[in-house]
Amino acid sequence: MIYFYNVSKEFGRGAGVYDLNFNIHKGEFVCIVGPSGAGKSTILKLIYMDEKPTDGKVVVDNFDSSMLQKDGIPYLRRRVGMIFQDFQLLRDRNVYDNVALALRVMRVRRKKIKKRVLQALNSVGLGHRAQYYPQELSGGEQQRVSVARAIVKEPIVLLADEPTGNLDPQVAREILALLRRINEQGTAVVMATHNYNLIKNTPYRRIRIEEGRVVDT
Amino acid sequence: MIYFYNVSKEFGRGAGVYDLNFNIHKGEFVCIVGPSGAGKSTILKLIYMDEKPTDGKVVVDNFDSSMLQKDGIPYLRRRVGMIFQDFQLLRDRNVYDNVALALRVMRVRRKKIKKRVLQALNSVGLGHRAQYYPQELSGGEQQRVSVARAIVKEPIVLLADEPTGNLDPQVAREILALLRRINEQGTAVVMATHNYNLIKNTPYRRIRIEEGRVVDT
Amino acid sequence: MSYGFLVKEGFSGLARAKFPSFVAILTITISLTLMGITYLGGTKLVHLFNQVRSGFEVEVFLSPGATEYDRSRIEEKLNNSELVTGFDYISKDDAAKRFEEEFGENIYEVLDANPLPASYTVRMDTRNFDHNDVTLMAQELGKMQGVDEVQYKQAVLRLLDRYANAVLIGGGIILVIVLGASILLVGNTIKLSIFAKREVIKIMRLVGATDLFIKIPFIIEGILQGILGAGFALLGLYGVVVGTNYLLGSFLTTELTMDWPIIGGVITLGLLFGLVGSARSIRMFISEIRY
Amino acid sequence: MSYGFLVKEGFSGLARAKFPSFVAILTITISLTLMGITYLGGTKLVHLFNQVRSGFEVEVFLSPGATEYDRSRIEEKLNNSELVTGFDYISKDDAAKRFEEEFGENIYEVLDANPLPASYTVRMDTRNFDHNDVTLMAQELGKMQGVDEVQYKQAVLRLLDRYANAVLIGGGIILVIVLGASILLVGNTIKLSIFAKREVIKIMRLVGATDLFIKIPFIIEGILQGILGAGFALLGLYGVVVGTNYLLGSFLTTELTMDWPIIGGVITLGLLFGLVGSARSIRMFISEIRY
Ligand SMILES: Nc1ncnc2c1ncn2[C@@H]1O[C@H](COP(=O)(O)OP(=O)(O)OP(=O)(O)O)[C@@H](O)[C@H]1O
Ligand SMILES: Nc1ncnc2c1ncn2[C@@H]1O[C@H](COP(=O)(O)OP(=O)(O)OP(=O)(O)O)[C@@H](O)[C@H]1O
Ligand SMILES: [Mg+2]
Ligand SMILES: [Mg+2]
């Protein structure tokens, strides 16, 4: 469902990712691992088309990076859930509205929104923080809001960038279990992480990146 | 050198930290551990006086939270190095200027600034990123810039909030080694972390927080 | 569907970004107030000029021996002139009455006979004519049988004539400058207030909002800012009107008033400023912020 | 020490936050331009009024039998009047010459004798007097030995008298409104451009900057914005002056000019706007942003 064809993304000053070739199938769970600055986030950004390849093409579902116009991108992003390394929460609205936004942009009905948002917040253990603003939350709580916003729209792919970087092992395991459950319901999951301990006992495919190149898949 | 006397900080809606009593001595290395939302960052914020206690008082060096006026805070912060969980980098200047700022506010001489900034960047492995802007860096790289900015001013205390949350184990160990080296030179280090693996083999004192209270020290 | 949400977003945008919104509203208020003042002052001045120019009076004094026939010839000429909007015949007796009204003495008691001549007070509408037309007319009248003398305030006429166009052009220039300045200011302040929220646009895009979805709340917010700005401008203008009337009432023949055209104009302009300003700004920014 | 850094920060602040700075400069430019126009227009109008009022002419026609003694009495009276700023004696011969100049015919060729009376052209400075003083003076002159008739444009005088104060008060009101509006607008736009950088202030504080250290670059940036705004306003005003002279040159007796007071005034106000605006705004914000 996700295809990388000879993809390179160069950032001018040398850094970037080079000549990526791999596929991720429907319902698969893939971990992207590698040291800091290797290019993990860049790969995820290429999938949700925040970055355009400088070479090659990325195909997600039936969205092709080499053909997709700007006004097609929102429709791609509605099918892809994203957990950002830096959370990307709106400071000017509370947790509930931050999560609900993902559904509102799709024009889901109000009642349905309420039910699903509360459900998502509970599943990340933040039901009691619905009325808080992001800056009133701890780092780990903000990260979980980002998780809730990604899963609330029931995407076909879930992209998780370091989703447990700010969480203690207990909560991290809970979040991983949550991703696993979502994966079992048919959603593909692509997780970028450096938390080897967390994934070392999982059977999931690993794509290893070093200095912008796939070294092991 | 850091004293918490019956310190409480309540955030209105129930959350907060309660009745903290502990000291941290000159040159000590202390880890604050506990689950997400326990109050680790709040304790660090109380030390650099980003938050004022609602009860009790915090004394750092000879700055007393119950006496300190607003215009005294900058002088406290010049003696305290801070690594923020959310990095707090200025998007409108490059890595070099971000790190140099910590010295410029102290009116250090230009030449000295240059030498010390490059040294700090090299020690976190980012000498080659000096001209990059924060938004051009990976999550781990941004975190390391935050580390460089904290150590460049040679503080008497170093507060590190989850300094390895976005780093792979290899780099995380390097950063920990760096903190250890700094500590050996006489700087006290207070590190909030949930990375048990990283610190499990260290001899450092741990203060364990749960739901805002010290449960083990 | 969630159209209600978009409208609510627009309203709460105002409340969330209080300060930038406040500045946008303030700028709209000030711009509209300045334009309103320019308009009020300009129309007042034009009105004053026109009042004088449309009611310009020429006195045609008849010679003592003027006959009925002379008078009918004169009246015929007055009736046929495009310049003349009306005239009154003032007989010797009327003139005597006026004399008594003005000076408090009966002329027959002062003198044996009434030396005051009969006359016509001719009102001319000089708005579309220049002073040469009036002079010509006066000369022609002066030469007619039965006319003794034609009197009019030539100096005033020439003055009016000279400055009427200057006032119109000058007023036009000022209005254009104020309008242009207002558009620039309002447009850029709204842009700045949207600029303060570019983070919001970025995140909206990341969660899959279409451009339209992002734009609508900003435009609704802009319209609200426009309406509020117009409201405050009307209050301000009302203050200016009352203040001016109080300070200048004794100098001016008519008072300034807030009539419907100005109220309607301010509201319409406010709406337009808000709508066009926000629509243009958001379109500009949205294309600058990366997808 | 790093004072150089603070100055550099101020300059690069302009470059970094291009858009908010641009809006601040634009607002200063527009405000100063509007104030300049108000000032130019106001002084021009006052100037015109004063020109007319200070050179108000009264003609004193002498009767044919006026003696040297009569004339010396008249001149004595004129010399002693505070109203009178000067007068010219026009003898019968001078009058005849003028007649020839104006009508192209030598009066002696038309008539046998010169019927034109000798006269005084008296210039009065009516700026500090109202029309009653002039009327009184005229009446007194009229009653003097040797004076046949006194003529002056009473209507013009009354008009000037009535509107001179109105123009002054009106101009004052407008200047105050424009100045007030400018201060509000400039102050708030600078605030908004600082508001866009509150993140910077927060982080500066976290790394131990004193308030003074944070403020100085903003104030330097404000001063730069003020100077740039003043520069553009001067260009704009120059354009307005040239344009107005081009469009209205034929109506006005004197042209608009950019004199030193206005250049100095614009630069001073620009500096003040930038300095005071940024100093006040940063002081306001810095206390709002938490330590
Ligand atoms: N916009 C950009 N401009 C220039 N360089 C960039 C940009 N974005 C990323 N880079 C560089 O590309 C490299 C890969 O970045 P990326 O964010 O993908 O790393 P990562 O694997 O996610 O690392 P981490 O684990 O630290 O988050 C980094 O060295 C970074 O400096
Ligand atoms: N400004 C605030 N207003 C209200 N509540 C707050 C505020 N700041 C923190 N809190 C609450 O206080 C609690 C402790 O927060 P803190 O940031 O200290 O947690 P933490 O131990 O650092 O967690 P993490 O490991 O997730 O970073 C959290 O539940 C948080 O929601
Ligand atoms: Mg990353
Ligand atoms: Mg924390």
Side-chain angles (χ1 to χ4, degrees):
Chain A
M1 187 179 45
I2 299 174
Y3 307 88
F4 275 67
Y5 296 107
N6 304 315
V7 174
S8 292
K9 170 74 199 176
E10 298 188 53
F11 286 120
R13 279 185 267 195
V17 294
Y18 306 94
D19 203 29
L20 303 176
N21 275 295
F22 56 81
N23 304 338
I24 295 168
H25 306 294
K26 244 199 177 79
E28 213 182 346
F29 197 126
V30 177
C31 296
I32 299 179
V33 295
S36 171
K40 304 183 292 297
S41 299
T42 304
I43 290 175
L44 297 185
K45 282 178 185 161
L46 285 164
I47 297 175
Y48 63 83
M49 310 223 172
D50 193 23
E51 299 284 5
K52 271 209 154 193
T54 40
D55 226 338
K57 67 173 178 176
V58 180
V59 179
V60 180
D61 203 17
N62 40 23
F63 297 91
D64 179 337
S65 72
S66 64
M67 320 262 283
L68 193 58
Q69 295 298 307
K70 271 190 175 179
D71 49 10
I73 295 179
Y75 301 96
L76 162 65
R77 293 193 184 157
R78 291 177 190 186
R79 317 204 63 190
V80 179
M82 292 162 288
I83 302 165
F84 301 99
Q85 195 169 7
D86 50 357
F87 319 148
Q88 303 279 13
L89 302 177
L90 285 166
R91 299 169 56 87
D92 66 353
R93 58 199 77 198
N94 64 27
V95 166
Y96 179 91
D97 286 328
N98 262 287
V99 176
L101 190 65
L103 298 177
R104 285 185 178 135
V105 299
M106 293 195 272
R107 314 222 152 184
V108 174
R109 286 179 174 286
R110 216 185 157 139
K111 274 209 178 140
K112 224 172 165 183
I113 291 180
K114 191 163 180 187
K115 208 180 113 230
R116 280 166 64 180
V117 169
L118 293 179
Q119 201 178 318
L121 284 177
N122 282 327
S123 69
V124 297
L126 284 182
H128 61 305
R129 291 279 185 264
Q131 300 306 320
Y132 278 58
Y133 282 79
Q135 55 276 25
E136 296 174 339
L137 297 180
S138 80
E141 286 164 344
Q142 289 183 44
Q143 189 152 46
R144 284 179 278 162
V145 176
S146 187
V147 173
R149 186 179 57 188
I151 62 173
V152 75
K153 57 182 161 186
E154 296 169 1
I156 58 167
V157 198
L158 189 62
L159 307 177
D161 197 354
E162 217 74 86
T164 58
N166 285 277
L167 300 174
D168 55 293
Q170 168 68 22
V171 178
R173 268 192 306 274
E174 280 167 27
I175 292 293
L176 187 65
L178 178 66
L179 296 185
R180 190 179 301 150
R181 244 179 295 132
I182 288 164
N183 176 246
E184 278 161 9
Q185 283 157 24
T187 300
V189 176
V190 184
M191 180 167 84
T193 188
H194 54 248
N195 197 337
Y196 298 119
N197 272 309
L198 190 68
I199 58 167
K200 69 181 169 203
N201 295 323
T202 62
Y204 304 136
R205 174 153 76 111
R206 288 170 210 174
I207 297 177
R208 202 178 159 72
I209 311 289
E210 265 168 33
E211 294 186 351
R213 292 173 199 280
V214 175
V215 294
D216 182 18
T217 173
Chain B
M1 185 179 44
I2 300 174
Y3 307 89
F4 275 67
Y5 296 108
N6 304 316
V7 175
S8 292
K9 170 74 197 176
E10 298 189 53
F11 286 120
R13 281 186 267 195
V17 293
Y18 306 93
D19 202 29
L20 303 176
N21 275 294
F22 56 81
N23 304 336
I24 295 168
H25 305 295
K26 245 199 174 79
E28 213 182 347
F29 196 126
V30 177
C31 296
I32 299 179
V33 295
S36 170
K40 303 183 293 297
S41 299
T42 303
I43 289 175
L44 297 185
K45 283 178 185 162
L46 286 164
I47 297 176
Y48 61 85
M49 312 227 172
D50 194 22
E51 300 284 2
K52 272 210 154 193
T54 40
D55 227 338
K57 67 173 180 177
V58 179
V59 179
V60 179
D61 202 19
N62 40 22
F63 297 92
D64 179 337
S65 71
S66 63
M67 322 261 284
L68 192 58
Q69 295 298 306
K70 272 190 173 179
D71 49 8
I73 295 181
Y75 301 95
L76 162 67
R77 293 195 181 154
R78 291 177 188 183
R79 318 205 62 188
V80 178
M82 293 163 287
I83 302 165
F84 301 98
Q85 194 169 8
D86 50 356
F87 318 148
Q88 302 279 15
L89 302 177
L90 285 167
R91 299 169 55 86
D92 65 353
R93 59 199 77 195
N94 65 26
V95 166
Y96 179 90
D97 285 328
N98 262 287
V99 177
L101 189 66
L103 297 177
R104 286 186 177 134
V105 299
M106 291 195 274
R107 316 225 149 180
V108 175
R109 286 180 175 285
R110 216 185 157 142
K111 275 210 177 140
K112 220 171 169 185
I113 290 181
K114 191 163 180 191
K115 206 179 115 230
R116 281 166 65 178
V117 169
L118 293 179
Q119 200 178 319
L121 284 177
N122 282 327
S123 69
V124 296
L126 282 183
H128 61 304
R129 291 279 185 264
Q131 300 307 320
Y132 278 57
Y133 282 80
Q135 56 275 25
E136 296 174 339
L137 297 180
S138 79
E141 287 164 345
Q142 290 183 43
Q143 188 153 46
R144 283 178 280 161
V145 176
S146 188
V147 173
R149 186 180 56 189
I151 62 173
V152 76
K153 58 182 160 186
E154 296 170 1
I156 56 164
V157 199
L158 189 63
L159 307 177
D161 197 353
E162 218 73 87
T164 59
N166 285 277
L167 299 174
D168 55 294
Q170 168 67 23
V171 179
R173 269 192 305 272
E174 282 167 28
I175 293 294
L176 187 65
L178 178 65
L179 297 186
R180 190 177 304 149
R181 242 179 298 134
I182 289 165
N183 176 245
E184 278 160 8
Q185 283 156 25
T187 300
V189 176
V190 184
M191 180 167 82
T193 188
H194 53 250
N195 198 338
Y196 298 120
N197 272 309
L198 190 68
I199 58 166
K200 70 182 168 202
N201 296 321
T202 61
Y204 305 136
R205 173 151 76 111
R206 288 169 210 175
I207 298 177
R208 202 177 160 71
I209 310 290
E210 265 169 34
E211 294 186 351
R213 290 172 200 281
V214 176
V215 293
D216 183 19
T217 175
Chain C
M1 299 307 280
S2 69
Y3 291 104
F5 170 72
L6 292 177
V7 175
K8 233 183 80 198
E9 273 286 296
F11 274 84
S12 53
L14 267 187
R16 283 205 195 99
K18 277 191 207 75
F19 184 66
S21 272
F22 162 75
V23 178
I25 293 171
L26 183 80
T27 309
I28 294 175
T29 302
I30 289 177
S31 293
L32 289 176
T33 308
L34 285 183
M35 287 176 63
I37 291 173
T38 314
Y39 175 82
L40 277 176
T43 49
K44 185 79 205 166
L45 222 58
V46 169
H47 179 76
L48 279 174
F49 264 86
N50 279 340
Q51 211 176 26
V52 183
R53 295 184 91 201
S54 66
F56 190 75
E57 285 186 2
V58 173
E59 307 278 342
V60 180
F61 293 100
L62 302 184
S63 49
T67 63
E68 283 292 311
Y69 174 71
D70 295 340
R71 282 187 47 206
S72 71
R73 290 274 321 274
I74 293 169
E75 291 185 9
E76 191 185 45
K77 179 156 181 70
L78 293 177
N79 279 326
N80 287 338
S81 167
E82 281 190 314
L83 260 172
V84 176
T85 52
F87 56 87
D88 293 320
Y89 176 64
I90 291 149
S91 67
K92 286 177 77 76
D93 282 351
D94 293 335
K97 265 184 225 141
R98 285 204 181 175
F99 183 87
E100 189 171 354
E101 278 165 18
E102 275 184 42
F103 300 98
E105 290 198 72
N106 190 318
I107 196 153
Y108 296 106
E109 286 173 7
V110 182
L111 301 168
D112 288 343
N114 175 3
L116 299 173
S119 66
Y120 284 99
T121 299
V122 182
R123 285 177 300 282
M124 294 187 180
D125 187 343
T126 62
R127 279 176 293 182
N128 304 311
F129 302 90
D130 73 13
H131 68 275
N132 293 323
D133 297 316
V134 177
T135 310
L136 199 75
M137 179 77 184
Q139 279 171 357
E140 286 172 13
L141 283 167
K143 282 185 204 132
M144 287 180 79
Q145 194 78 39
V147 173
D148 178 33
E149 203 188 358
V150 178
Q151 271 191 6
Y152 61 98
K153 295 161 184 163
Q154 193 150 14
V156 173
L157 186 63
R158 224 176 286 139
L159 212 75
L160 284 173
D161 214 53
R162 185 167 186 181
Y163 290 110
N165 281 320
V167 165
L168 271 180
I169 298 180
I173 293 179
I174 292 177
L175 203 66
V176 167
I177 289 178
V178 173
L179 184 68
S182 299
I183 290 175
L184 266 176
L185 272 185
V186 171
N188 278 296
T189 320
I190 292 185
K191 257 185 225 157
L192 200 50
S193 83
I194 293 181
F195 180 80
K197 298 196 205 159
R198 59 203 182 293
E199 207 64 25
V200 176
I201 298 175
K202 201 190 90 198
I203 294 176
M204 287 259 188
R205 279 202 164 146
L206 285 178
V207 299
T210 56
D211 281 2
L212 191 68
F213 186 92
I214 296 172
K215 280 177 188 170
I216 289 175
F218 281 107
I219 292 173
I220 291 174
E221 195 181 326
I223 293 174
L224 286 176
Q225 289 169 345
I227 293 174
L228 286 173
F232 292 127
L234 286 177
L235 285 180
L237 281 174
Y238 185 73
V240 170
V241 164
V242 171
T244 308
N245 285 340
Y246 175 76
L247 285 171
L248 291 185
S250 52
F251 299 111
L252 300 175
T253 46
T254 56
E255 297 210 314
L256 289 179
T257 49
M258 296 279 287
D259 46 6
W260 284 110
I262 197 167
I263 295 176
V266 166
I267 292 175
T268 312
L269 268 178
L271 263 173
L272 273 180
F273 275 0
L275 176 69
V276 179
S278 60
R280 284 189 37 158
S281 310
I282 183 67
R283 204 179 53 210
M284 186 192 112
F285 269 114
I286 219 165
S287 63
E288 270 183 16
I289 294 172
R290 62 179 305 170
Y291 252 102
Chain D
M1 300 307 278
S2 69
Y3 291 103
F5 169 73
L6 293 178
V7 175
K8 233 183 79 199
E9 273 286 296
F11 274 84
S12 54
L14 266 188
R16 284 207 193 99
K18 277 190 206 78
F19 184 66
S21 272
F22 162 75
V23 178
I25 294 171
L26 182 80
T27 308
I28 294 175
T29 303
I30 290 177
S31 293
L32 289 175
T33 309
L34 285 183
M35 286 175 62
I37 291 173
T38 312
Y39 175 81
L40 277 176
T43 49
K44 186 78 205 168
L45 221 58
V46 168
H47 180 75
L48 279 175
F49 263 87
N50 279 341
Q51 213 175 24
V52 183
R53 295 184 90 201
S54 66
F56 189 75
E57 286 187 0
V58 172
E59 306 279 342
V60 179
F61 294 100
L62 301 184
S63 47
T67 62
E68 283 290 314
Y69 174 71
D70 293 341
R71 279 188 47 205
S72 71
R73 292 275 322 272
I74 293 170
E75 291 185 9
E76 190 184 45
K77 180 161 181 68
L78 292 178
N79 279 326
N80 287 337
S81 167
E82 281 191 313
L83 258 173
V84 176
T85 53
F87 55 87
D88 293 320
Y89 175 64
I90 292 147
S91 68
K92 284 175 77 78
D93 282 350
D94 293 336
K97 265 183 224 140
R98 287 205 182 174
F99 183 86
E100 189 171 354
E101 277 165 20
E102 274 184 44
F103 300 97
E105 289 197 74
N106 190 319
I107 197 152
Y108 294 106
E109 286 172 9
V110 184
L111 301 165
D112 289 342
N114 175 0
L116 300 172
S119 67
Y120 285 100
T121 299
V122 183
R123 286 178 299 284
M124 295 187 179
D125 187 345
T126 63
R127 280 177 292 182
N128 305 312
F129 302 91
D130 76 11
H131 68 274
N132 292 321
D133 297 316
V134 177
T135 310
L136 200 74
M137 178 78 185
Q139 278 171 358
E140 285 172 14
L141 284 167
K143 284 187 203 128
M144 287 181 80
Q145 193 78 37
V147 174
D148 179 32
E149 203 188 357
V150 178
Q151 271 192 5
Y152 62 97
K153 296 162 185 166
Q154 192 150 16
V156 173
L157 187 63
R158 223 176 288 137
L159 215 73
L160 284 173
D161 214 54
R162 186 169 186 180
Y163 288 111
N165 282 320
V167 164
L168 271 180
I169 298 181
I173 293 178
I174 291 178
L175 203 68
V176 166
I177 289 178
V178 173
L179 184 68
S182 299
I183 290 175
L184 266 176
L185 272 184
V186 171
N188 278 295
T189 320
I190 291 184
K191 258 185 225 160
L192 201 50
S193 83
I194 294 181
F195 180 80
K197 298 196 205 156
R198 59 204 182 292
E199 207 63 25
V200 177
I201 298 175
K202 200 191 91 198
I203 294 176
M204 287 258 188
R205 280 200 164 150
L206 285 179
V207 299
T210 55
D211 280 2
L212 191 68
F213 185 92
I214 297 173
K215 280 177 187 170
I216 288 174
F218 281 106
I219 292 173
I220 291 173
E221 195 182 327
I223 293 175
L224 286 175
Q225 289 169 346
I227 292 175
L228 285 174
F232 291 128
L234 286 176
L235 284 181
L237 279 175
Y238 185 71
V240 169
V241 164
V242 171
T244 307
N245 285 340
Y246 176 76
L247 285 170
L248 291 185
S250 52
F251 297 111
L252 300 175
T253 46
T254 56
E255 297 210 315
L256 288 179
T257 48
M258 295 279 286
D259 46 5
W260 284 110
I262 197 167
I263 295 176
V266 166
I267 293 176
T268 312
L269 267 179
L271 263 173
L272 273 181
F273 275 0
L275 176 69
V276 179
S278 59
R280 283 189 36 158
S281 310
I282 184 67
R283 203 180 51 209
M284 187 191 109
F285 268 115
I286 219 165
S287 64
E288 270 182 17
I289 294 170
R290 61 179 303 169
Y291 252 102

